[in-house]
Amino acid sequence: MAGAEGSAGRQSELEPVVSLVDVLEEDEELENEACAVLGGSDSEKCSYSQGSVKRQALYACSTCTPEGEEPAGICLACSYECHGSHKLFELYTKRNFRCDCGNSKFKNLGCKLFPDKAKINSGNKYNDNFFGLYCICKRPYPDPDDEIPDEMIQCAVCEDWFHGRHLGAIPPESGDFQEMVCQACMKRCSFLWAYAAQLAVTKVSAEDDGLVLNVDGIGDLEVIKPENGDHQDSTLKEDVPERGKDAVKEVKAEQTNEPCTSSSSEPDLQTAFKNQHLNMESQAGCRLQELNAKQFLKKDTATYWPVNWRSKLCTCKDCMKMYGELDVLFLTDEYDTVLAYENKGKVDQAADRRDPLMDTLNSMDRVQQVELICEYNDLKTELKDYLKRFADEGTVVKREDIQQFFEEFQSKKRRRVDGLQYYCS
C-alpha cells in the first residue's frame, strides 16, 4: 500500500500541473484567435451577394476541387453548410474575392445558401494555396516530412505563405513587424526598395554609418560615407531626383564661383533651377521621387514592415497610376491589412457576444433582479476567499475541493432562505 502511494506520488510529481487560470487563459487566447480570423466573416450567409469582398476568411475544398482541377475558394458560411464533411484547406484570409461555391468549377455540387451564381468569378485570383501547397518549396502545411520547426508568414502583396527560412532574410527575432513582402513581390514592385531603406523593420543597408548606392542584385556593394564639410552638398543631392543632378552640380558651381552677397542673387539661382527642371514639375511633392534621389540597396530578399508603413507611401497622381499598373492599389488602403480585419472581427464579436447574466436579469422583475445580484455577489466573494486560501498555501485546487465549496455554499443559502435573511455582501 505504501509502495502504491509512493508510486502515485512520483507519478503526480512527473505530471505537469495546469491551474484553472492557465486553462482559462489558453481558452481565451484560442477564442480571441478564432474571433480575429472568423469574426469579420458571416458564418450563416454566403458572401457571394456582397460581390468581391474586401477581405474575408476563405477555404478550398479538396473533395470538390482536388489538385488537377480548377482552383476555387469558398466563404466561411459555405464551408459549414455546403462542405461540412469535406476535406478543406484553411486559407486564412484573402482580399477582393467572391465565393465560388456551386459555380461551374464544382461539377457535382450546388450552393445551398446562394444557388444562383455566375459560372465563374473572373475577378478572383488563385495560387497554389488553393491546393494546400505553400511557399516557394510548394509543400503542404503542416508538412509531415519537414522536421525543421519554422513559422509561416503571409506576404502582404501576393498573399502566399512562406517559411521564414525561405525568404532570403531572417524574420526579426522580436517578431516586431506587421507585414512582410516576399522576394518575388519586392522584385515586381521594385519601387518599395526606396521605402524599405527608410521604413523597413530591418534596414536595407550594408553599414549603419554609410549610404548604399542604388544597385540591383546582391553582388559587390559600393558604400559612400559622407565626409566632413560635405553635409550641405550631400543634402542637396539627396533632395533632388537623379535626372536633375547635373543641373544641381552646375548651380552649385555657379554658387561657389560667385558667392551670394545679397538677396539679389536669389532670383538667378531660382531661375537656374526652374530652367533645368521644367520637366519635373509634375513630380513636385512626390515622396517616391525624393526617396529615389537618395541612395539605397536592392537585394534578392523579403522585407519586413512596421505598423502603419502603408500610410507613408506617396499618393500623388503618378504614383497612384503606377500602383494601378502593378495591381497594388490596395497598398494605399490601411483597412486592407490583416490587422485591420482582425480588429474589426474582435469588435464585431464583442458587440454580438451576449452576457447570460444580463439576459437573465432582463427577464426578471425588480425584486428578483435584486435577489439575483445579491446571490451573485455572495458567490463571488466567498469563492474568492475560498480560493485565496489555496493560493496562500501554494496548494492545487482539486475537483473535490470545488464540490465541497458549492455544497457548503448551498447549505448556507438554504439557511438564509429559511431565516428570510436577504443581504448583499
Side-chain angles (χ1 to χ4, degrees):
M1 197 63 183
E5 290 178 356
S7 176
R10 287 192 297 272
Q11 184 177 359
S12 63
E13 290 177 2
L14 295 175
E15 293 178 354
V17 177
V18 180
S19 69
L20 180 60
V21 174
D22 293 333
V23 174
L24 292 176
E25 287 180 348
E26 182 179 359
D27 183 65
E28 183 178 4
E29 183 178 347
L30 290 173
E31 185 177 355
N32 288 336
E33 184 177 344
C35 288
V37 179
L38 307 179
S41 300
D42 195 323
S43 61
E44 298 179 354
K45 298 179 181 178
C46 176
S47 64
Y48 182 85
S49 61
Q50 302 176 40
S52 294
V53 180
K54 192 169 190 176
R55 184 170 291 282
Q56 64 176 318
L58 280 184
Y59 300 81
C61 182
S62 178
T63 304
C64 296
T65 56
E67 192 171 1
E69 300 286 340
E70 290 187 83
I74 59 176
C75 68
L76 176 63
C78 288
S79 74
Y80 293 150
E81 185 65 27
C82 308
H83 305 263
S85 61
H86 297 179
K87 181 182 178 182
L88 301 178
F89 296 123
E90 184 178 352
L91 305 179
Y92 198 53
T93 70
K94 300 284 186 184
R95 68 168 63 88
N96 300 332
F97 198 94
R98 196 171 196 182
C99 180
D100 285 322
C101 180
N103 67 12
S104 62
K105 296 185 176 185
F106 294 80
K107 302 295 190 293
N108 302 309
L109 181 137
C111 182
K112 300 177 182 178
L113 300 177
F114 202 106
D116 188 19
K117 292 181 179 177
K119 291 183 177 182
I120 193 170
N121 295 315
S122 58
N124 288 353
K125 294 182 179 179
Y126 308 90
N127 57 20
D128 289 328
N129 294 176
F130 290 81
F131 296 116
L133 302 176
Y134 308 90
C135 191
I136 57 174
C137 60
K138 305 302 179 187
R139 297 292 301 171
Y141 183 83
D143 187 350
D145 298 327
D146 187 2
E147 298 179 355
I148 303 176
D150 198 355
E151 63 177 340
M152 299 287 284
I153 307 174
Q154 188 179 33
C155 174
V157 178
C158 68
E159 298 191 300
D160 194 359
W161 290 82
F162 297 85
H163 295 100
R165 65 183 186 273
H166 291 160
L167 288 169
I170 299 175
E173 292 184 3
S174 63
D176 188 21
F177 63 94
Q178 181 191 346
E179 294 185 297
M180 178 274 293
V181 179
C182 73
Q183 294 160 279
C185 290
M186 285 301 298
K187 186 174 183 179
R188 185 172 71 86
C189 304
S190 58
F191 71 91
L192 286 176
W193 285 112
Y195 290 99
Q198 307 295 323
L199 303 175
V201 173
T202 303
K203 292 294 184 293
V204 186
S205 61
E207 295 183 12
D208 293 336
D209 59 346
L211 297 173
V212 184
L213 287 176
N214 301 6
V215 293
D216 291 311
I218 54 175
D220 296 334
L221 306 177
E222 182 179 356
V223 181
I224 298 183
K225 299 180 180 179
E227 298 179 359
N228 294 336
D230 290 340
H231 177 73
Q232 181 178 359
D233 290 349
S234 63
T235 302
L236 184 58
K237 184 174 74 170
E238 289 175 9
D239 289 342
V240 180
E242 290 285 340
R243 59 191 178 193
K245 285 183 179 178
D246 292 338
V248 174
K249 292 177 182 177
E250 293 176 7
V251 173
K252 287 196 295 182
E254 294 175 4
Q255 191 174 13
T256 302
N257 296 333
E258 299 179 13
C260 177
T261 56
S262 68
S263 60
S264 61
S265 63
E266 291 183 6
D268 295 332
L269 181 61
Q270 293 173 357
T271 300
F273 269 107
K274 184 176 180 180
N275 292 338
Q276 295 290 342
H277 297 284
L278 285 176
N279 61 334
M280 296 170 58
E281 288 184 351
S282 62
Q283 295 295 334
C286 176
R287 178 170 174 75
L288 179 59
Q289 279 286 5
E290 295 176 3
L291 294 177
N292 277 334
K294 299 181 180 181
Q295 298 169 342
F296 57 88
L297 171 67
K298 292 181 182 179
K299 298 177 67 179
D300 186 20
T301 66
T303 50
Y304 303 91
W305 304 81
V307 176
N308 297 328
W309 71 276
R310 297 189 186 201
S311 64
K312 307 296 193 301
L313 298 179
C314 180
T315 55
C316 73
K317 182 179 178 181
D318 288 344
C319 283
M320 293 299 286
K321 180 181 178 183
M322 176 185 65
Y323 302 150
E325 293 172 348
L326 292 171
D327 197 22
V328 292
L329 275 170
F330 54 81
L331 287 179
T332 62
D333 183 3
E334 284 288 310
Y335 294 99
D336 168 79
T337 65
V338 172
L339 179 63
Y341 170 86
E342 291 179 345
N343 290 337
K344 180 180 182 299
K346 292 176 182 178
V347 171
D348 292 347
Q349 284 289 328
D352 293 340
R353 193 176 298 162
R354 304 185 68 175
D355 188 337
L357 178 59
M358 293 307 298
D359 288 344
T360 304
L361 282 172
N362 291 333
S363 66
M364 296 178 171
D365 59 34
R366 179 65 179 171
V367 175
Q368 291 174 319
Q369 288 179 349
V370 172
E371 290 178 347
L372 178 61
I373 292 173
C374 288
E375 291 292 342
Y376 173 77
N377 286 335
D378 285 342
L379 174 62
K380 181 176 69 173
T381 301
E382 293 194 25
L383 181 60
K384 181 178 178 181
D385 293 340
Y386 182 76
L387 294 177
K388 187 175 184 299
R389 297 204 304 268
F390 291 88
D392 293 340
E393 297 172 1
T395 56
V396 178
V397 182
K398 301 176 182 178
R399 181 191 297 271
E400 50 266 31
D401 296 325
I402 298 298
Q403 291 176 341
Q404 179 184 350
F405 167 80
F406 280 103
E407 288 174 359
E408 293 178 356
F409 182 79
Q410 288 293 338
S411 177
K412 292 179 182 179
K413 178 181 177 182
R414 283 193 295 270
R415 289 198 298 271
R416 287 200 304 268
V417 172
D418 292 342
L420 298 177
Q421 298 176 2
Y422 294 92
Y423 63 94
C424 295
S425 297

